[in-house]
Amino acid sequence: MPAAAFGTTADGRSVSRHTLSRGRLRVVVIDYGAAVTAIEVPDRAGHPANVVLGLETLAGYETVSPSFGATVGRYANRIAGGRFSLDGHTYRLPVNEPPNTLHGGPENFGKRLWRAELSDAARVVLSRRSPDGEEGFPGNLDVRVSYSLPEDGVLRIDYAAVTDRPTVLNLTNHSYFNLAGEGAGSVLGHVVQVEADTFAPTDATQIPTGALLPVAGTPFDFRTPRALEARIRAGDPQLAYAKGYDHTFALRGPAGTLRPAASCVDPGSGRRLDVWTTQPALQLYSGNNLDGRLIGPSRRIYRSGDGVCFETQAFPDAPNRPSFPSAVLRPGETFAAATEFRFSVV
């Protein structure tokens, strides 16, 4: 389907909407933020519904969106104190979640206009150059994200990037899923499984301590399917810091290989999501900061727990945590990662 107009940015630039369709799966992506604005899949009775949260207008994505569906970077998740050191030089970043930098700063990739290199019925490729010094990060970074539908029920995201100076990089898609349908209310009844034996505990500002702790015997044990609501109110300081789940899990298996990361089922509709990725970690976020101020396309407000994110990524604050796998990208190297969202019914 040809690209269609989605709106004009506050500074007068046109933004397009790209609709991908294959079989029973329909996906909408916009140039702004390289963001997914809709994923439409059927329930067990065959009735389709959009299963990601979003906003009606481009102005909403520019001004109030909590990264709905966006490609965030240069560094997804948090960097402690808005600073990191690389090759003996300290880089300072804008602090947008005091005292830390979140998702690369207030003008991160999710707040930028991308260029469509290719757009057809089953694939859109978006790219941009992040200039040296953007949001404090070193190096000119050429980044590309591809959304494709390789088969019915599968949305695949491929990332690629190169740099002309050593830099740090962490890219993810920040879709908020509600498998009952956008605007359907709480997702805390969704049943989740995460392919991880350890998770990264944080301090009170949600910066990882650098340790990886066993999930066994904790509210973070999703090794077998469990409803989000089962332990989200457990008296665990980790849950109190984040107001719910907002934690990194170390995925089983070698990074760089496409492997299962998580699954999620809505018992009511029967919709199932399986997440596969080549990334080393997964951030499970239960939409804790949705506070009733945002209204979705359904014309219903979004409240805490109305969406769940499965952010496949590198480890947060890895530039400051030598115990975590490196997130450094150097000239001559190519960053490559892939994530698949696979939809079915049970």
Side-chain angles (χ1 to χ4, degrees):
M1 182 178 295
F6 184 67
T8 303
T9 62
D11 60 2
R13 294 174 296 166
S14 296
V15 174
S16 294
R17 179 179 68 242
H18 308 268
T19 300
L20 313 181
S21 182
R22 184 162 189 167
R24 298 168 298 166
L25 176 62
R26 179 177 172 271
V27 176
V28 181
V29 177
I30 58 173
D31 301 342
Y32 186 83
V36 175
T37 61
I39 300 176
E40 191 174 282
V41 291
D43 63 11
R44 66 164 65 94
H47 302 307
N50 174 26
V51 295
V52 290
L53 307 191
L55 297 164
E56 284 194 287
T57 66
L58 175 59
Y61 283 93
E62 286 189 277
T63 59
V64 296
S65 174
S67 300
F68 282 146
T71 299
V72 291
R74 270 189 207 190
Y75 208 91
N77 216 308
R78 295 169 177 87
I79 292 182
R83 67 174 66 185
F84 68 94
S85 295
L86 178 60
D87 296 342
H89 183 83
T90 297
Y91 296 93
R92 298 182 185 276
L93 315 174
V95 170
N96 59 329
E97 190 189 64
N100 307 315
T101 299
L102 177 66
H103 294 328
E107 298 299 320
N108 69 68
F109 289 3
K111 295 295 183 180
R112 303 286 182 171
L113 187 61
W114 295 59
R115 179 174 65 89
E117 294 184 356
L118 179 153
S119 180
D120 60 28
R123 186 183 181 207
V124 60
V125 179
L126 302 166
S127 65
R128 71 176 302 263
R129 166 164 280 200
S130 173
D132 183 32
E134 183 175 77
E135 297 293 85
F137 290 92
N140 294 300
L141 183 82
D142 291 307
V143 60
R144 178 179 290 110
V145 58
S146 167
Y147 293 99
S148 63
L149 309 183
E151 58 185 281
D152 189 10
V154 178
L155 169 60
R156 180 180 171 98
I157 309 174
D158 286 281
Y159 305 96
V162 295
T163 183
D164 63 1
R165 288 180 61 194
T167 192
V168 296
L169 182 65
N170 185 19
L171 301 175
T172 195
N173 177 268
H174 207 289
S175 289
Y176 290 64
F177 292 94
N178 187 327
L179 297 182
E182 179 272 325
S186 176
V187 300
L188 297 186
H190 284 24
V191 177
V192 169
Q193 183 169 1
V194 179
E195 301 295 333
D197 301 308
T198 57
F199 78 104
T202 75
D203 64 17
T205 72
Q206 294 184 260
I207 291 295
T209 64
L212 290 176
L213 298 183
V215 298
T218 77
F220 303 93
D221 190 351
F222 289 94
R223 293 175 297 173
T224 56
R226 185 183 305 278
L228 287 169
E229 65 190 0
R231 297 183 181 179
I232 198 169
R233 291 180 176 82
D236 188 305
Q238 289 294 310
L239 294 173
Y241 293 155
K243 297 181 287 186
Y245 291 108
D246 191 6
H247 293 81
T248 304
F249 292 77
L251 296 173
R252 299 186 192 113
T257 61
L258 188 66
R259 65 209 190 282
S263 65
C264 181
V265 174
D266 170 43
S269 69
R271 293 188 184 93
R272 176 184 174 104
L273 167 64
D274 287 278
V275 182
W276 288 56
T277 192
T278 63
Q279 298 265 45
L282 174 87
Q283 187 82 3
L284 176 67
Y285 175 51
S286 52
N288 314 316
N289 293 320
L290 299 173
D291 59 6
R293 290 186 290 178
L294 300 181
I295 300 172
S298 59
R299 304 304 301 161
R300 293 175 64 85
I301 64 170
Y302 295 150
R303 300 181 63 180
S304 179
D306 281 0
V308 58
C309 301
F310 300 95
E311 304 165 56
T312 57
Q313 57 183 257
F315 284 84
D317 203 35
N320 295 314
R321 302 287 168 176
S323 60
F324 288 162
S326 173
V328 174
L329 180 68
R330 298 186 179 277
E333 301 174 342
T334 298
F335 173 85
T339 293
E340 291 184 356
F341 296 126
R342 304 180 179 185
F343 297 93
S344 58
V345 293
V346 295

